[in-house]
Amino acid sequence: HVQLVESGGGSVQAGGSLRLSCEVSGYSVTTGCMGWVRQGAGKMREGVAGVDSDGNAMYAGSVKGRFTISQDNAKNTLYLQMNSLKPEDTAQYYCAADCCRGGSWDARWCEYWGQGTQVTVS
């Protein structure tokens, strides 16, 4: 049974930072194919950052250079460090797992989802 539990969301002013955490059970972060997906009000779901089966990180163009995905293998936890936040980053952020096909990562393929954590940037 795969369980993903996000934390770390909140409200922050533009230019600020937040770090999201995703505690994982039933799935090893060392497998890769995990990532973060967001959905703003009235917007399409967007893959923000992901790790493919080789451990390569990828980012949406809108967050490249500002967000960093990382993991702690000992804690089996995935992180998303978000810097230089903008109002357009406001969204519900979801941790997701088993997001690969043929080794490549895509948010459309994620099989497991957390409950989400809200990030609001004003």
Side-chain angles (χ1 to χ4, degrees):
H1 174 66
V2 178
Q3 190 170 12
L4 311 173
V5 180
E6 303 98 333
S7 61
S11 296
V12 64
Q13 290 189 334
S17 298
L18 284 173
R19 188 177 80 154
L20 305 184
S21 299
C22 174
E23 296 184 14
V24 184
S25 58
Y27 186 96
S28 175
V29 297
T30 60
T31 301
C33 300
M34 293 198 67
W36 294 92
V37 181
R38 69 184 180 187
Q39 187 164 22
K43 296 183 179 180
M44 299 286 288
R45 189 162 54 183
E46 176 188 25
V48 175
V51 178
D52 67 15
S53 59
D54 290 328
N56 301 309
M58 56 207 66
Y59 299 92
S62 58
V63 308
K64 197 170 292 184
R66 300 188 297 122
F67 290 13
T68 303
I69 189 170
S70 64
Q71 63 192 56
D72 185 325
N73 294 341
K75 295 182 178 179
N76 209 38
T77 298
L78 189 73
Y79 301 100
L80 184 68
Q81 178 68 43
M82 305 185 294
N83 299 328
S84 303
L85 282 161
K86 304 175 180 180
E88 51 263 44
D89 294 319
T90 295
Q92 186 82 349
Y93 283 72
Y94 299 90
C95 177
D98 197 5
C99 305
C100 292
R101 295 292 183 271
S104 298
W105 188 91
D106 193 298
R108 295 170 294 178
W109 301 328
C110 297
E111 293 288 334
Y112 304 103
W113 297 84
Q115 82 287 353
T117 186
Q118 178 68 32
V119 172
T120 302
V121 185
S122 60

